[in-house]
Amino acid sequence: MRVLLAGGAGYVGTHTAIALIEAGHEAVLLDDLSNTSAEVTARIESITGKAAPLASGSAASVADVERVFDEFGPFDSIMHFAAKKAVGESVEKPLDYYRNNLGSTFALLEVGIARGIRSFIFSSTGTVYSDPADLPFGEGATRNLVELSNPYSKSKLMNEVVLSDVQRVNPELNITLLRYFNPVGAHESGLVGEDPKGIPNNLMPYVARVAVGGLSEISVYGTDYDTPDGTGQRDYIHVVDLADGHVAALEKAEPGLKAYNLGTGNPVSVLELISSFEKAVGRELPKKMAPRRAGDLAATYCDPAVAERELGWKAARTIDDMTRDVWNWQSRNPRGYDG
């Protein structure tokens, strides 16, 4: 199948492009390059032996999406990765998050449906679940927009509502909501990985930058949560496992709307992740304890059983695999794709 990956030059999109190509599909990337580099296309080709064409443009622009269809279409499916994703930043910049995260969905749907796509695979998030009493979160867990703690999560849940309504009036269309948890890791080759612009907003790339000397110390935000070591717990999933989940969703797609959790089901604390990374690096990293950040929750982790049962997919890699592969990527590319 021929797949348009909106936001496809980003972290998850790049790894998914590799997985798609290795599974025999064709991948075309649309990205505004605001948080990645065009260098990823050469590295995808180096790994797979095949090109993934890159169109520079905004997924929130109908004109840019139409241009990609004109130049590279037709497409069987759209995978939508084109979202701003930092929880803390979304609290400070809610309009930016709603404008981009909703507007990109509108443009991709408008053009995609008009041009005859058969499936639309949406990168949702485990943070759409709003009641910690539901842990581990199953697909039917509580989702209450008012109770969600930040605009990032709210924008994702709003998109799920939009997609449900769109599928209802387009019954021939498959829409798959992939609620994944905390992607980390990198491709085992060390050629592609997470390379956020500026100071990273997420924990793993921040730890990696500290390890290569790009940042001075790790800030551990919140040490008084109701968790075994007092730090927040997350369900970290290797990005390669996550990419394989997208391929499974594409190949199993049938008309209708389905939601799947993509995670390991195993919560890992901030201090446990740092300890694993220190083991990969072979030394202790400088860190300081800091107050909680606005919008953060004590714990989020899922029950991934539905994805295993219906998609035949299960995460295979451990937290030590994840930190090892991040260190392999970051140590080989201390300045990311810039060298």
Side-chain angles (χ1 to χ4, degrees):
M1 285 182 270
R2 192 166 182 82
V3 185
L4 173 61
L5 282 67
Y11 175 47
V12 178
T14 299
H15 288 84
T16 302
I18 292 167
L20 286 166
I21 293 168
E22 290 179 339
H25 304 289
E26 298 177 83
V28 175
L29 317 181
L30 169 64
D31 206 293
D32 64 6
L33 302 178
S34 60
N35 201 35
T36 186
S37 168
E39 169 67 16
V40 300
T41 57
R43 300 199 180 194
I44 291 171
E45 187 167 3
S46 177
I47 292 168
T48 65
K50 295 184 179 180
L54 170 64
S56 179
S58 171
S61 164
V62 169
D64 286 353
V65 178
E66 287 181 330
R67 174 171 51 84
V68 175
F69 270 81
D70 289 341
E71 186 172 354
F72 297 104
F75 295 101
D76 300 291
S77 178
I78 292 174
M79 292 186 177
H80 181 3
F81 304 99
K84 293 178 179 291
K85 63 177 185 176
V87 168
E89 183 183 59
S90 77
V91 175
E92 299 299 321
K93 301 178 179 179
L95 282 178
D96 288 352
Y97 273 68
Y98 291 127
R99 180 182 299 112
N100 179 81
N101 292 4
L102 291 165
S104 53
T105 300
F106 298 159
L108 291 166
L109 284 172
E110 179 179 333
V111 178
I113 291 172
R115 299 293 186 98
I117 61 165
R118 298 199 300 261
S119 74
F120 190 96
I121 297 174
F122 178 66
S123 296
S124 190
T125 171
T127 65
V128 298
Y129 300 118
S130 55
D131 188 348
D134 292 333
L135 286 170
F137 294 125
E139 285 80 359
T142 305
R143 291 176 295 134
N144 187 321
L145 185 65
V146 175
E147 294 178 357
L148 295 181
S149 62
N150 60 83
Y152 164 72
S153 302
K154 290 177 181 178
S155 74
K156 290 293 189 176
L157 185 52
M158 289 175 183
N159 270 311
E160 289 197 7
V161 173
V162 170
L163 290 164
S164 178
D165 287 341
V166 168
Q167 201 287 323
R168 177 176 50 81
V169 296
N170 294 275
E172 75 290 347
L173 182 66
N174 165 267
I175 293 182
T176 303
L177 312 174
L178 296 180
R179 296 177 186 149
Y180 43 84
F181 282 68
N182 292 73
V184 295
H187 193 268
E188 64 181 3
S189 67
L191 290 174
V192 296
E194 189 168 13
D195 183 28
K197 303 294 185 184
I199 297 175
N201 287 297
N202 296 320
L203 177 61
M204 183 73 91
Y206 199 103
V207 173
R209 293 273 182 91
V210 171
V212 294
L215 294 168
S216 61
E217 62 184 358
I218 305 160
S219 293
V220 178
Y221 293 104
T223 58
D224 59 348
Y225 288 110
D226 185 17
T227 61
D229 64 14
T231 64
Q233 292 180 315
R234 297 294 180 265
D235 189 340
Y236 294 100
I237 176 173
H238 199 296
V239 68
V240 175
D241 283 333
L242 187 62
D244 290 342
H246 286 76
V247 176
L250 175 72
E251 294 178 345
K252 295 284 187 177
E254 297 178 352
L257 184 140
K258 291 289 296 187
Y260 297 102
N261 289 332
L262 297 186
T264 66
N266 300 312
V268 174
S269 75
V270 171
L271 290 180
E272 287 172 331
L273 182 147
I274 294 171
S275 176
S276 177
F277 205 99
E278 289 173 333
K279 183 166 61 176
V281 175
R283 67 179 190 277
E284 187 173 351
L285 300 175
K287 47 190 171 290
K288 68 175 181 181
M289 304 301 113
R292 300 182 185 187
R293 295 182 301 185
D296 280 348
L297 300 176
T300 59
Y301 56 99
C302 76
D303 178 354
V306 176
E308 181 177 5
R309 184 171 66 250
E310 297 188 7
L311 300 180
W313 172 91
K314 183 178 182 179
R317 295 163 177 84
T318 68
I319 190 65
D320 287 342
D321 296 329
M322 301 174 207
T323 55
R324 178 203 64 214
D325 289 344
V326 170
W327 179 235
N328 182 43
W329 148 256
Q330 196 72 72
S331 60
R332 290 169 178 253
N333 304 270
R335 295 172 53 223
Y337 292 113
D338 294 331

